[in-house]
Amino acid sequence: MRKILFASSEVHPLMKTGGLADVSASLPYALSQHGQDVRVFMPAYRQCLKKLENIERVAALKLDGYHESVDILEATLPGTDVVVWLLGSSHHFDRDGGPYSQPDGEDWEDNAARFALFCRAIVALSVNEAGLDWQPDVLHCNDWQTGLAPALLSDRAERPDTIFTIHNMAYQGLFGRDVFDSLDLPESLWSIDGLEFYGLMSFMKAGLIFSDHITTVSPSYAREICDIEYGYGLEGLLRQRAESGHLTGILNGIDYDEWNPATDTHIETHYSAKTPNRKKKNKRLLQQQSYLPISEDTLLIGLISRLVSQKGVDLSIAAVAQLLEEGQNIQLICLGSGEEQYEHSLRVLRARFPDKVALTIGYNETLSHQIEAGVDVFLMPSRFEPCGLNQMYSLRYGTLPIVRNTGGLADTVVDATEENRKAEIANGFCFTEASPEALILSLRRAIALFQHPRKWRKMMITAMTHDFSWENSATLYIDLYHHIKER
Ligand code: ADP
Protein backbone atom coordinates (compact mmCIF):
# COMPACT_ATOMS: atom_id res chain seq x y z
CA MET A 1 0.00 0.00 0.00
CA ARG A 2 1.28 3.46 -0.89
CA LYS A 3 0.34 6.81 0.52
CA ILE A 4 -0.66 9.06 -2.35
CA LEU A 5 -1.40 12.77 -2.18
CA PHE A 6 -3.55 13.63 -5.21
CA ALA A 7 -3.61 17.39 -5.84
CA SER A 8 -6.09 18.98 -8.23
CA SER A 9 -7.78 22.34 -8.71
CA GLU A 10 -11.17 20.73 -9.45
CA VAL A 11 -12.83 17.58 -8.17
CA HIS A 12 -16.32 16.38 -9.09
CA PRO A 13 -18.90 17.01 -7.62
CA LEU A 14 -17.32 19.79 -5.53
CA MET A 15 -16.02 21.95 -8.39
CA LYS A 16 -15.97 21.15 -12.10
CA THR A 17 -15.22 22.91 -15.35
CA GLY A 18 -14.30 19.80 -17.36
CA GLY A 19 -12.86 16.32 -17.49
CA LEU A 20 -10.12 17.08 -14.94
CA ALA A 21 -12.79 17.14 -12.21
CA ASP A 22 -14.20 13.76 -13.25
CA VAL A 23 -10.75 12.18 -13.24
CA SER A 24 -9.79 13.79 -9.91
CA ALA A 25 -12.76 12.09 -8.27
CA SER A 26 -12.83 8.73 -10.00
CA LEU A 27 -9.09 7.94 -10.16
CA PRO A 28 -8.50 8.48 -6.40
CA TYR A 29 -11.59 6.37 -5.68
CA ALA A 30 -10.32 3.59 -7.99
CA LEU A 31 -6.88 3.77 -6.32
CA SER A 32 -8.46 3.46 -2.88
CA GLN A 33 -10.47 0.45 -4.11
CA HIS A 34 -7.10 -1.07 -5.03
CA GLY A 35 -5.93 -0.70 -1.44
CA GLN A 36 -3.93 2.54 -1.77
CA ASP A 37 -4.09 5.18 0.96
CA VAL A 38 -5.03 8.19 -1.16
CA ARG A 39 -5.90 11.71 0.00
CA VAL A 40 -7.25 14.30 -2.39
CA PHE A 41 -6.20 17.93 -1.93
CA MET A 42 -7.96 20.93 -3.50
CA PRO A 43 -8.75 24.59 -2.75
CA ALA A 44 -11.76 25.27 -0.50
CA TYR A 45 -13.83 27.25 -3.02
CA ARG A 46 -17.06 28.75 -1.67
CA GLN A 47 -19.07 26.31 -3.79
CA CYS A 48 -17.29 23.26 -2.31
CA LEU A 49 -17.99 24.31 1.24
CA LYS A 50 -21.69 24.57 0.41
CA LYS A 51 -21.73 21.05 -1.02
CA LEU A 52 -19.83 19.28 1.77
CA GLU A 53 -21.25 18.01 5.02
CA ASN A 54 -19.20 17.38 8.14
CA ILE A 55 -16.20 19.53 7.37
CA GLU A 56 -13.56 19.58 10.07
CA ARG A 57 -10.69 22.02 10.47
CA VAL A 58 -7.72 19.74 11.05
CA ALA A 59 -4.76 22.11 10.80
CA ALA A 60 -3.72 25.73 10.47
CA LEU A 61 -0.40 26.75 9.03
CA LYS A 62 1.62 29.64 7.75
CA LEU A 63 2.87 29.55 4.17
CA ASP A 64 5.58 31.64 2.50
CA GLY A 65 4.27 34.48 0.39
CA TYR A 66 1.12 35.15 2.43
CA HIS A 67 0.91 36.99 5.71
CA GLU A 68 -2.10 35.24 7.23
CA SER A 69 -2.36 31.62 8.29
CA VAL A 70 -4.41 29.21 6.20
CA ASP A 71 -6.55 26.23 7.19
CA ILE A 72 -6.59 22.61 6.14
CA LEU A 73 -10.15 21.34 6.19
CA GLU A 74 -11.09 17.67 6.04
CA ALA A 75 -14.16 15.91 4.64
CA THR A 76 -14.87 12.85 2.50
CA LEU A 77 -15.62 12.86 -1.21
CA PRO A 78 -19.41 12.56 -1.48
CA GLY A 79 -20.54 8.96 -1.87
CA THR A 80 -17.12 7.53 -0.95
CA ASP A 81 -14.86 7.20 2.06
CA VAL A 82 -11.95 8.91 0.27
CA VAL A 83 -10.53 11.70 2.43
CA VAL A 84 -10.46 15.13 0.81
CA TRP A 85 -8.37 17.92 2.29
CA LEU A 86 -9.17 21.49 1.28
CA LEU A 87 -7.00 24.57 1.48
CA GLY A 88 -9.02 27.18 3.32
CA SER A 89 -8.02 30.77 2.65
CA SER A 90 -11.05 33.00 2.36
CA HIS A 91 -9.07 35.80 0.71
CA HIS A 92 -8.13 33.48 -2.17
CA PHE A 93 -11.00 31.02 -2.57
CA ASP A 94 -14.16 32.17 -0.82
CA ARG A 95 -15.83 34.01 -3.71
CA ASP A 96 -18.62 33.55 -6.24
CA GLY A 97 -17.63 32.43 -9.73
CA GLY A 98 -15.58 29.63 -11.23
CA PRO A 99 -12.26 28.22 -10.03
CA TYR A 100 -10.30 30.28 -12.56
CA SER A 101 -12.68 32.98 -13.69
CA GLN A 102 -15.11 35.59 -12.46
CA PRO A 103 -18.85 35.24 -13.03
CA ASP A 104 -18.43 37.36 -16.22
CA GLY A 105 -15.90 34.86 -17.63
CA GLU A 106 -12.74 36.98 -17.13
CA ASP A 107 -9.83 35.21 -15.42
CA TRP A 108 -9.33 36.14 -11.76
CA GLU A 109 -6.56 38.71 -11.66
CA ASP A 110 -4.81 36.99 -8.78
CA ASN A 111 -4.79 33.45 -10.25
CA ALA A 112 -1.01 33.20 -9.99
CA ALA A 113 -1.11 34.09 -6.28
CA ARG A 114 -4.06 31.78 -5.64
CA PHE A 115 -2.44 28.73 -7.20
CA ALA A 116 1.06 29.54 -5.94
CA LEU A 117 -0.46 29.44 -2.46
CA PHE A 118 -2.12 26.12 -3.33
CA CYS A 119 1.27 24.77 -4.50
CA ARG A 120 2.97 25.91 -1.30
CA ALA A 121 0.31 24.09 0.70
CA ILE A 122 0.87 20.96 -1.46
CA VAL A 123 4.56 21.18 -0.56
CA ALA A 124 3.77 21.48 3.16
CA LEU A 125 1.55 18.39 3.00
CA SER A 126 4.13 16.51 0.91
CA VAL A 127 6.86 16.88 3.51
CA ASN A 128 4.51 16.39 6.46
CA GLU A 129 4.85 19.97 7.65
CA ALA A 130 1.14 20.76 7.69
CA GLY A 131 0.50 19.22 11.08
CA LEU A 132 -1.46 16.26 9.68
CA ASP A 133 0.96 13.51 10.72
CA TRP A 134 0.81 11.89 7.29
CA GLN A 135 3.76 11.63 4.91
CA PRO A 136 2.91 10.65 1.33
CA ASP A 137 5.13 8.31 -0.70
CA VAL A 138 3.88 9.83 -3.94
CA LEU A 139 2.65 13.29 -4.84
CA HIS A 140 0.38 13.17 -7.90
CA CYS A 141 -0.07 16.67 -9.42
CA ASN A 142 -2.53 17.61 -12.13
CA ASP A 143 -2.29 20.43 -14.66
CA TRP A 144 -0.71 23.86 -14.36
CA GLN A 145 -2.42 24.89 -11.14
CA THR A 146 -0.21 22.35 -9.31
CA GLY A 147 2.95 22.83 -11.43
CA LEU A 148 4.97 24.85 -8.92
CA ALA A 149 4.79 22.12 -6.29
CA PRO A 150 7.35 19.72 -7.89
CA ALA A 151 9.65 22.74 -8.47
CA LEU A 152 9.45 23.89 -4.84
CA LEU A 153 9.99 20.32 -3.66
CA SER A 154 12.95 19.60 -5.91
CA ASP A 155 15.64 20.44 -3.35
CA ARG A 156 13.88 18.91 -0.35
CA ALA A 157 15.65 15.72 0.74
CA GLU A 158 12.59 14.20 2.41
CA ARG A 159 10.25 14.76 -0.53
CA PRO A 160 7.91 12.10 -2.01
CA ASP A 161 8.20 10.89 -5.62
CA THR A 162 6.38 13.30 -7.91
CA ILE A 163 4.13 12.67 -10.88
CA PHE A 164 2.69 15.43 -13.02
CA THR A 165 -0.32 14.62 -15.21
CA ILE A 166 -1.12 16.80 -18.20
CA HIS A 167 -4.86 16.98 -18.84
CA ASN A 168 -4.60 19.73 -21.44
CA MET A 169 -1.47 21.41 -22.88
CA ALA A 170 -3.56 24.36 -24.05
CA TYR A 171 -3.76 25.80 -20.52
CA GLN A 172 -0.28 26.50 -19.15
CA GLY A 173 -0.57 29.14 -16.44
CA LEU A 174 1.57 31.82 -18.10
CA PHE A 175 2.30 35.07 -16.24
CA GLY A 176 4.71 38.00 -16.56
CA ARG A 177 8.08 38.45 -14.85
CA ASP A 178 6.46 40.99 -12.51
CA VAL A 179 4.11 38.28 -11.28
CA PHE A 180 7.07 35.95 -10.71
CA ASP A 181 8.64 38.69 -8.55
CA SER A 182 5.43 39.26 -6.63
CA LEU A 183 5.21 35.57 -5.69
CA ASP A 184 8.46 35.67 -3.76
CA LEU A 185 9.79 32.50 -5.40
CA PRO A 186 13.47 31.47 -5.31
CA GLU A 187 15.32 33.52 -7.95
CA SER A 188 17.06 30.30 -9.10
CA LEU A 189 13.75 29.12 -10.57
CA TRP A 190 13.87 31.93 -13.14
CA SER A 191 15.92 30.18 -15.79
CA ILE A 192 15.53 28.40 -19.09
CA ASP A 193 15.93 25.14 -17.15
CA GLY A 194 13.26 26.31 -14.77
CA LEU A 195 10.04 28.29 -15.03
CA GLU A 196 11.05 30.79 -17.68
CA PHE A 197 9.26 30.37 -20.98
CA TYR A 198 10.07 33.01 -23.61
CA GLY A 199 10.23 35.78 -21.02
CA LEU A 200 7.16 34.60 -19.14
CA MET A 201 6.78 32.35 -16.14
CA SER A 202 5.09 29.02 -16.85
CA PHE A 203 3.47 26.96 -14.08
CA MET A 204 3.08 24.07 -16.53
CA LYS A 205 6.78 24.05 -17.45
CA ALA A 206 7.67 23.88 -13.75
CA GLY A 207 5.65 20.68 -13.46
CA LEU A 208 7.15 19.21 -16.63
CA ILE A 209 10.77 19.91 -15.66
CA PHE A 210 10.79 19.13 -11.96
CA SER A 211 8.51 16.10 -11.62
CA ASP A 212 10.02 12.62 -11.54
CA HIS A 213 7.59 11.40 -14.16
CA ILE A 214 5.05 12.96 -16.51
CA THR A 215 1.87 11.29 -17.64
CA THR A 216 -0.85 12.41 -19.95
CA VAL A 217 -4.31 11.04 -20.38
CA SER A 218 -4.03 8.94 -23.53
CA PRO A 219 -1.22 7.17 -25.42
CA SER A 220 -1.93 9.09 -28.66
CA TYR A 221 -1.84 12.48 -26.92
CA ALA A 222 1.48 11.48 -25.28
CA ARG A 223 2.92 11.15 -28.80
CA GLU A 224 1.16 14.21 -30.23
CA ILE A 225 2.43 16.68 -27.62
CA CYS A 226 6.00 15.90 -28.69
CA ASP A 227 5.16 17.57 -32.03
CA ILE A 228 5.11 21.26 -32.78
CA GLU A 229 1.40 21.17 -33.68
CA TYR A 230 0.26 20.09 -30.20
CA GLY A 231 3.19 20.97 -27.90
CA TYR A 232 2.61 24.74 -27.55
CA GLY A 233 6.36 25.43 -27.60
CA LEU A 234 7.11 22.76 -25.00
CA GLU A 235 7.45 19.92 -27.54
CA GLY A 236 11.27 19.87 -27.32
CA LEU A 237 11.23 19.43 -23.56
CA LEU A 238 8.48 16.82 -23.82
CA ARG A 239 10.37 14.92 -26.52
CA GLN A 240 13.47 14.83 -24.29
CA ARG A 241 11.49 13.52 -21.35
CA ALA A 242 9.72 10.95 -23.56
CA GLU A 243 13.04 9.73 -24.98
CA SER A 244 14.46 9.22 -21.48
CA GLY A 245 11.37 7.20 -20.51
CA HIS A 246 9.76 9.87 -18.33
CA LEU A 247 6.55 10.50 -20.27
CA THR A 248 3.74 7.95 -20.49
CA GLY A 249 0.16 8.04 -21.78
CA ILE A 250 -2.45 6.33 -19.61
CA LEU A 251 -6.00 6.43 -20.91
CA ASN A 252 -8.56 7.82 -18.47
CA GLY A 253 -11.34 5.55 -17.34
CA ILE A 254 -14.89 6.66 -16.62
CA ASP A 255 -16.95 6.37 -13.47
CA TYR A 256 -18.96 3.21 -14.09
CA ASP A 257 -21.35 3.89 -11.23
CA GLU A 258 -22.24 7.39 -12.32
CA TRP A 259 -22.37 6.61 -16.04
CA ASN A 260 -24.35 3.39 -16.24
CA PRO A 261 -27.50 3.26 -18.39
CA ALA A 262 -28.76 0.30 -16.35
CA THR A 263 -28.92 2.31 -13.10
CA ASP A 264 -28.65 6.02 -14.05
CA THR A 265 -31.04 7.96 -11.81
CA HIS A 266 -31.22 10.87 -14.27
CA ILE A 267 -32.88 8.81 -17.02
CA GLU A 268 -36.40 7.45 -17.36
CA THR A 269 -35.81 4.03 -18.95
CA HIS A 270 -32.89 1.86 -17.94
CA TYR A 271 -31.21 -0.36 -20.51
CA SER A 272 -28.05 -2.34 -21.14
CA ALA A 273 -26.21 -4.18 -23.93
CA LYS A 274 -28.76 -6.96 -23.44
CA THR A 275 -31.72 -4.59 -23.91
CA PRO A 276 -30.46 -1.92 -26.36
CA ASN A 277 -33.94 -1.40 -27.87
CA ARG A 278 -35.16 0.16 -24.63
CA LYS A 279 -32.88 3.13 -25.39
CA LYS A 280 -35.56 4.25 -27.90
CA LYS A 281 -37.86 5.21 -25.04
CA ASN A 282 -35.26 7.69 -23.80
CA LYS A 283 -34.97 9.07 -27.33
CA ARG A 284 -38.72 9.60 -27.51
CA LEU A 285 -38.83 11.37 -24.16
CA LEU A 286 -35.83 13.54 -25.02
CA GLN A 287 -37.44 14.64 -28.30
CA GLN A 288 -40.65 15.41 -26.44
CA GLN A 289 -38.89 17.34 -23.64
CA SER A 290 -36.87 19.28 -26.21
CA TYR A 291 -39.97 20.24 -28.23
CA LEU A 292 -38.73 18.35 -31.29
CA PRO A 293 -41.06 16.19 -33.39
CA ILE A 294 -41.06 12.61 -32.05
CA SER A 295 -39.59 10.40 -34.74
CA GLU A 296 -37.81 7.08 -34.36
CA ASP A 297 -36.22 7.10 -37.84
CA THR A 298 -34.72 10.56 -37.52
CA LEU A 299 -31.02 10.40 -36.66
CA LEU A 300 -30.87 12.27 -33.36
CA ILE A 301 -27.47 13.94 -32.91
CA GLY A 302 -26.14 15.01 -29.49
CA LEU A 303 -23.54 17.62 -28.63
CA ILE A 304 -22.42 18.37 -25.05
CA SER A 305 -19.36 20.54 -24.80
CA ARG A 306 -17.45 23.50 -23.61
CA LEU A 307 -18.06 25.79 -26.57
CA VAL A 308 -14.45 26.50 -27.52
CA SER A 309 -12.36 26.13 -30.68
CA GLN A 310 -10.64 22.98 -29.31
CA LYS A 311 -13.92 21.09 -29.51
CA GLY A 312 -14.48 21.88 -33.21
CA VAL A 313 -17.85 23.47 -32.42
CA ASP A 314 -17.61 25.53 -35.62
CA LEU A 315 -17.19 22.31 -37.64
CA SER A 316 -20.26 20.78 -35.97
CA ILE A 317 -22.39 23.87 -36.64
CA ALA A 318 -21.33 24.13 -40.30
CA ALA A 319 -21.81 20.42 -40.96
CA VAL A 320 -25.24 20.19 -39.33
CA ALA A 321 -26.39 23.40 -41.06
CA GLN A 322 -25.38 21.98 -44.46
CA LEU A 323 -27.22 18.69 -43.88
CA LEU A 324 -30.34 20.47 -42.61
CA GLU A 325 -30.32 22.74 -45.68
CA GLU A 326 -30.30 19.61 -47.82
CA GLY A 327 -33.36 18.35 -45.94
CA GLN A 328 -31.62 15.33 -44.38
CA ASN A 329 -33.66 13.51 -41.74
CA ILE A 330 -31.66 14.60 -38.69
CA GLN A 331 -32.19 16.54 -35.44
CA LEU A 332 -29.60 18.14 -33.15
CA ILE A 333 -29.75 18.48 -29.37
CA CYS A 334 -27.02 20.68 -28.00
CA LEU A 335 -25.96 21.52 -24.42
CA GLY A 336 -23.00 23.76 -23.71
CA SER A 337 -21.59 27.08 -22.77
CA GLY A 338 -18.45 28.97 -23.63
CA GLU A 339 -17.37 31.52 -26.18
CA GLU A 340 -19.97 34.04 -27.22
CA GLN A 341 -19.37 33.50 -30.98
CA TYR A 342 -20.30 29.81 -30.73
CA GLU A 343 -23.29 30.43 -28.46
CA HIS A 344 -24.48 32.98 -31.01
CA SER A 345 -24.01 30.67 -34.02
CA LEU A 346 -25.93 27.92 -32.24
CA ARG A 347 -28.78 30.33 -31.46
CA VAL A 348 -28.86 31.31 -35.14
CA LEU A 349 -28.97 27.63 -36.17
CA ARG A 350 -31.89 27.00 -33.80
CA ALA A 351 -33.73 30.05 -35.12
CA ARG A 352 -33.30 28.80 -38.70
CA PHE A 353 -34.41 25.24 -37.93
CA PRO A 354 -36.64 25.44 -34.82
CA ASP A 355 -38.17 22.00 -35.31
CA LYS A 356 -34.78 20.37 -35.94
CA VAL A 357 -32.48 21.95 -33.38
CA ALA A 358 -32.84 22.11 -29.58
CA LEU A 359 -30.37 24.19 -27.60
CA THR A 360 -29.59 24.68 -23.93
CA ILE A 361 -26.90 27.21 -23.15
CA GLY A 362 -25.50 26.48 -19.70
CA TYR A 363 -24.29 23.64 -17.56
CA ASN A 364 -26.75 20.88 -16.69
CA GLU A 365 -25.64 17.54 -15.25
CA THR A 366 -29.05 15.83 -15.49
CA LEU A 367 -29.64 16.91 -19.08
CA SER A 368 -26.17 15.68 -20.05
CA HIS A 369 -27.11 12.17 -18.87
CA GLN A 370 -30.48 12.37 -20.64
CA ILE A 371 -28.82 13.42 -23.89
CA GLU A 372 -26.29 10.57 -23.71
CA ALA A 373 -29.15 8.13 -23.11
CA GLY A 374 -31.48 9.56 -25.76
CA VAL A 375 -29.45 10.44 -28.85
CA ASP A 376 -28.24 8.08 -31.59
CA VAL A 377 -24.87 9.70 -32.31
CA PHE A 378 -22.60 12.10 -30.43
CA LEU A 379 -20.56 14.81 -32.15
CA MET A 380 -16.99 15.34 -30.98
CA PRO A 381 -14.92 16.68 -33.87
CA SER A 382 -12.17 18.06 -31.59
CA ARG A 383 -9.11 19.74 -33.10
CA PHE A 384 -7.16 18.11 -30.29
CA GLU A 385 -8.38 15.97 -27.44
CA PRO A 386 -6.06 14.85 -24.63
CA CYS A 387 -8.45 12.05 -23.70
CA GLY A 388 -12.08 13.12 -23.86
CA LEU A 389 -14.67 11.59 -21.59
CA ASN A 390 -17.88 12.30 -23.44
CA GLN A 391 -17.12 9.85 -26.25
CA MET A 392 -16.60 7.14 -23.61
CA TYR A 393 -19.86 8.06 -21.85
CA SER A 394 -21.50 7.84 -25.30
CA LEU A 395 -20.05 4.40 -25.99
CA ARG A 396 -21.30 3.11 -22.65
CA TYR A 397 -24.79 4.45 -23.50
CA GLY A 398 -24.85 2.83 -26.97
CA THR A 399 -24.60 6.28 -28.56
CA LEU A 400 -22.16 6.08 -31.46
CA PRO A 401 -19.54 8.86 -31.38
CA ILE A 402 -18.50 10.78 -34.50
CA VAL A 403 -14.96 11.95 -33.79
CA ARG A 404 -11.80 13.38 -35.29
CA ASN A 405 -8.88 10.99 -35.28
CA THR A 406 -6.87 12.67 -32.54
CA GLY A 407 -5.62 12.00 -28.99
CA GLY A 408 -7.92 9.95 -26.80
CA LEU A 409 -10.63 9.96 -29.46
CA ALA A 410 -8.32 7.96 -31.74
CA ASP A 411 -7.57 5.59 -28.85
CA THR A 412 -11.20 4.82 -28.03
CA VAL A 413 -13.31 5.04 -31.21
CA VAL A 414 -13.03 2.47 -34.01
CA ASP A 415 -14.38 3.60 -37.38
CA ALA A 416 -17.37 1.85 -38.95
CA THR A 417 -15.55 0.58 -42.03
CA GLU A 418 -16.97 -2.60 -43.47
CA GLU A 419 -13.90 -4.51 -42.33
CA ASN A 420 -14.14 -3.24 -38.74
CA ARG A 421 -17.86 -3.93 -38.64
CA LYS A 422 -17.28 -7.51 -39.84
CA ALA A 423 -14.61 -7.95 -37.16
CA GLU A 424 -17.17 -6.58 -34.66
CA ILE A 425 -14.81 -3.88 -33.40
CA ALA A 426 -16.48 -0.83 -35.00
CA ASN A 427 -18.12 1.47 -32.45
CA GLY A 428 -18.36 4.89 -34.13
CA PHE A 429 -17.29 7.11 -37.02
CA CYS A 430 -13.86 8.72 -37.45
CA PHE A 431 -12.41 11.30 -39.82
CA THR A 432 -9.07 13.03 -40.04
CA GLU A 433 -9.14 16.47 -41.65
CA ALA A 434 -10.46 19.27 -39.40
CA SER A 435 -13.00 20.53 -41.92
CA PRO A 436 -16.82 20.63 -42.15
CA GLU A 437 -16.59 18.59 -45.38
CA ALA A 438 -14.78 15.71 -43.66
CA LEU A 439 -17.28 15.75 -40.80
CA ILE A 440 -20.18 15.85 -43.27
CA LEU A 441 -18.85 12.69 -44.95
CA SER A 442 -18.85 10.89 -41.58
CA LEU A 443 -22.34 12.17 -40.80
CA ARG A 444 -23.54 10.91 -44.18
CA ARG A 445 -22.10 7.48 -43.41
CA ALA A 446 -23.94 7.53 -40.07
CA ILE A 447 -27.21 8.59 -41.72
CA ALA A 448 -26.85 5.75 -44.26
CA LEU A 449 -26.01 3.08 -41.67
CA PHE A 450 -28.87 4.22 -39.45
CA GLN A 451 -31.22 2.91 -42.16
CA HIS A 452 -30.04 -0.60 -41.23
CA PRO A 453 -31.26 -1.19 -37.68
CA ARG A 454 -29.62 -4.59 -37.31
CA LYS A 455 -26.18 -3.34 -38.32
CA TRP A 456 -26.65 -0.29 -36.10
CA ARG A 457 -27.65 -2.40 -33.10
CA LYS A 458 -24.58 -4.57 -33.57
CA MET A 459 -22.37 -1.49 -33.32
CA MET A 460 -24.29 -0.27 -30.28
CA ILE A 461 -23.61 -3.56 -28.54
CA THR A 462 -19.90 -3.46 -29.46
CA ALA A 463 -19.75 0.06 -28.01
CA MET A 464 -21.60 -0.86 -24.82
CA THR A 465 -19.58 -3.96 -24.04
CA HIS A 466 -16.09 -2.45 -24.28
CA ASP A 467 -14.51 -1.93 -20.85
CA PHE A 468 -13.76 1.76 -20.17
CA SER A 469 -13.80 1.42 -16.38
CA TRP A 470 -10.89 2.63 -14.23
CA GLU A 471 -9.92 -0.96 -13.50
CA ASN A 472 -7.07 -1.16 -16.06
CA SER A 473 -5.88 2.44 -15.80
CA ALA A 474 -5.76 2.47 -12.00
CA THR A 475 -3.52 -0.60 -12.15
CA LEU A 476 -1.23 1.18 -14.64
CA TYR A 477 -0.91 4.17 -12.26
CA ILE A 478 -0.13 1.87 -9.32
CA ASP A 479 2.56 0.10 -11.41
CA LEU A 480 3.97 3.52 -12.30
CA TYR A 481 4.10 4.68 -8.63
CA HIS A 482 5.98 1.47 -7.89
CA HIS A 483 8.32 1.81 -10.87
CA ILE A 484 9.32 5.41 -9.96
CA LYS A 485 10.21 4.34 -6.45
CA GLU A 486 12.49 1.61 -7.83
CA ARG A 487 14.11 4.03 -10.25
P1 ADP B 1 -13.02 18.78 -21.38
O1 ADP B 1 -12.43 18.37 -20.08
O2 ADP B 1 -11.99 19.21 -22.39
O3 ADP B 1 -14.11 19.79 -21.25
P2 ADP B 1 -14.06 16.05 -21.52
O4 ADP B 1 -14.86 15.33 -22.56
O5 ADP B 1 -12.83 15.36 -21.05
O6 ADP B 1 -13.72 17.51 -22.07
O7 ADP B 1 -14.98 16.29 -20.25
C1 ADP B 1 -16.05 17.15 -20.27
C2 ADP B 1 -16.91 16.87 -19.05
O8 ADP B 1 -17.73 18.01 -18.80
C3 ADP B 1 -17.85 15.72 -19.26
O9 ADP B 1 -18.14 15.13 -18.02
C4 ADP B 1 -19.08 16.44 -19.83
O10 ADP B 1 -20.26 15.69 -19.69
C5 ADP B 1 -19.11 17.68 -19.01
N1 ADP B 1 -19.75 18.84 -19.62
C6 ADP B 1 -19.23 19.71 -20.51
N2 ADP B 1 -20.11 20.70 -20.78
C7 ADP B 1 -21.22 20.43 -20.06
C8 ADP B 1 -22.49 21.08 -19.90
N3 ADP B 1 -22.78 22.20 -20.55
N4 ADP B 1 -23.38 20.53 -19.05
C9 ADP B 1 -23.08 19.38 -18.39
N5 ADP B 1 -21.92 18.73 -18.49
C10 ADP B 1 -21.00 19.24 -19.31
Side-chain angles (χ1 to χ4, degrees):
M1 183 182 75
R2 284 212 158 60
K3 292 191 181 129
I4 301 150
L5 180 63
F6 192 95
S8 175
S9 58
E10 43 183 291
V11 182
H12 178 71
L14 304 177
M15 177 56 93
K16 171 168 169 174
T17 69
L20 170 63
D22 292 322
V23 175
S24 300
S26 46
L27 174 55
Y29 177 67
L31 292 170
S32 74
Q33 293 298 98
H34 280 77
Q36 308 297 308
D37 178 6
V38 52
R39 315 283 166 107
V40 176
F41 187 44
M42 70 182 299
Y45 308 108
R46 178 174 291 175
Q47 187 181 314
C48 304
L49 300 179
K50 282 189 192 152
K51 286 188 179 167
L52 281 169
E53 288 164 15
N54 302 327
I55 309 173
E56 205 185 327
R57 181 166 169 268
V58 287
L61 66 155
K62 185 76 192 58
L63 297 168
D64 285 347
Y66 186 52
H67 58 280
E68 282 181 28
S69 78
V70 298
D71 294 328
I72 305 295
L73 311 173
E74 183 175 305
T76 51
L77 271 188
T80 75
D81 53 9
V82 176
V83 171
V84 55
W85 283 322
L86 303 104
L87 172 62
S89 171
S90 48
H91 174 72
H92 296 89
F93 303 116
D94 187 14
R95 34 177 103 164
D96 287 330
Y100 323 121
S101 53
Q102 309 172 31
D104 68 3
E106 285 290 306
D107 277 358
W108 294 110
E109 257 183 37
D110 57 348
N111 270 346
R114 296 168 75 230
F115 292 106
L117 186 82
F118 182 45
C119 289
R120 283 184 155 122
I122 298 172
V123 170
L125 265 66
S126 296
V127 293
N128 199 9
E129 281 177 0
L132 294 169
D133 193 21
W134 189 83
Q135 164 78 55
D137 303 306
V138 178
L139 165 64
H140 192 150
C141 290
N142 295 277
D143 272 352
W144 74 261
Q145 296 84 356
T146 59
L148 287 185
L152 293 170
L153 276 170
S154 61
D155 59 356
R156 301 289 296 256
E158 70 284 33
R159 73 174 178 85
D161 300 324
T162 51
I163 291 189
F164 183 79
T165 298
I166 305 165
H167 296 260
N168 197 334
M169 281 299 294
Y171 304 97
Q172 300 194 356
L174 294 175
F175 302 94
R177 165 79 211 204
D178 54 327
V179 174
F180 177 86
D181 291 336
S182 72
L183 295 177
D184 206 12
L185 291 164
E187 183 59 32
S188 59
L189 287 180
W190 185 266
S191 98
I192 201 97
D193 300 319
L195 277 53
E196 190 196 348
F197 182 67
Y198 298 102
L200 297 172
M201 105 176 248
S202 166
F203 273 59
M204 170 75 91
K205 191 177 167 212
L208 300 182
I209 288 205
F210 290 101
S211 54
D212 295 317
H213 195 92
I214 303 168
T215 69
T216 187
V217 289
S218 69
S220 287
Y221 195 60
R223 286 188 295 276
E224 288 172 353
I225 55 178
C226 295
D227 281 342
I228 196 160
E229 194 184 341
Y230 296 97
Y232 291 86
L234 289 166
E235 58 277 1
L237 167 61
L238 288 163
R239 215 174 305 131
Q240 254 178 25
R241 297 228 58 188
E243 281 163 7
S244 58
H246 294 93
L247 168 61
T248 328
I250 300 179
L251 191 71
N252 284 335
I254 58 172
D255 184 330
Y256 260 36
D257 293 330
E258 181 155 359
W259 294 93
N260 180 357
T263 55
D264 190 332
T265 51
H266 299 292
I267 66 175
E268 186 81 3
T269 307
H270 292 145
Y271 62 100
S272 70
K274 290 204 181 92
T275 53
N277 281 342
R278 290 170 60 85
K279 181 172 164 60
K280 288 182 188 154
K281 292 196 176 169
N282 292 308
K283 173 171 177 177
R284 209 185 146 78
L285 186 64
L286 184 64
Q287 286 172 322
Q288 194 183 1
Q289 269 178 5
S290 314
Y291 303 104
L292 295 175
I294 293 171
S295 158
E296 202 176 291
D297 353 312
T298 302
L299 184 80
L300 185 56
I301 303 169
L303 173 62
I304 305 166
S305 180
R306 288 185 295 120
L307 301 176
V308 295
S309 154
Q310 172 195 343
K311 300 292 178 182
V313 193
D314 49 328
L315 307 181
S316 293
I317 296 169
V320 170
Q322 163 77 32
L323 293 172
L324 285 173
E325 277 160 20
E326 286 173 16
Q328 294 282 355
N329 188 15
I330 58 170
Q331 294 169 343
L332 172 71
I333 296 196
C334 175
L335 165 66
S337 63
E339 289 174 25
E340 175 52 36
Q341 51 167 329
Y342 299 124
E343 294 186 358
H344 175 74
S345 305
L346 283 165
R347 285 197 183 97
V348 170
L349 190 69
R350 179 182 52 185
R352 284 181 68 201
F353 303 99
D355 59 342
K356 299 282 185 189
V357 176
L359 172 65
T360 305
I361 297 288
Y363 190 90
N364 186 327
E365 201 85 25
T366 296
L367 182 58
S368 73
H369 284 247
Q370 290 166 346
I371 293 176
E372 288 291 9
V375 300
D376 299 303
V377 292
F378 190 89
L379 276 187
M380 207 157 163
S382 305
R383 292 194 159 80
F384 65 93
E385 194 57 75
C387 176
L389 296 173
N390 264 318
Q391 85 280 12
M392 290 194 270
Y393 299 151
S394 300
L395 290 166
R396 184 113 211 264
Y397 280 64
T399 294
L400 306 185
I402 301 182
V403 305
R404 235 197 107 225
N405 244 325
T406 183
L409 298 174
D411 291 342
T412 50
V413 182
V414 181
D415 190 37
T417 59
E418 204 162 335
E419 204 184 343
N420 287 341
R421 283 194 290 112
K422 269 197 194 135
E424 298 190 6
I425 53 170
N427 61 11
F429 303 86
C430 308
F431 64 99
T432 301
E433 196 189 293
S435 70
E437 293 73 28
L439 172 55
I440 287 170
L441 283 182
S442 284
L443 273 162
R444 286 195 202 287
R445 290 196 292 134
I447 293 167
L449 204 66
F450 193 60
Q451 310 302 315
H452 301 274
R454 251 200 272 150
K455 290 181 185 169
W456 192 270
R457 200 161 46 242
K458 224 169 157 186
M459 276 178 64
M460 281 174 68
I461 292 168
T462 303
M464 295 179 83
T465 44
H466 191 101
D467 184 4
F468 289 108
S469 70
W470 270 105
E471 196 54 36
N472 286 338
S473 306
T475 311
L476 291 174
Y477 276 109
I478 292 169
D479 288 349
L480 180 64
Y481 299 150
H482 185 73
H483 183 65
I484 296 177
K485 177 111 250 134
E486 283 183 341
R487 213 163 43 193

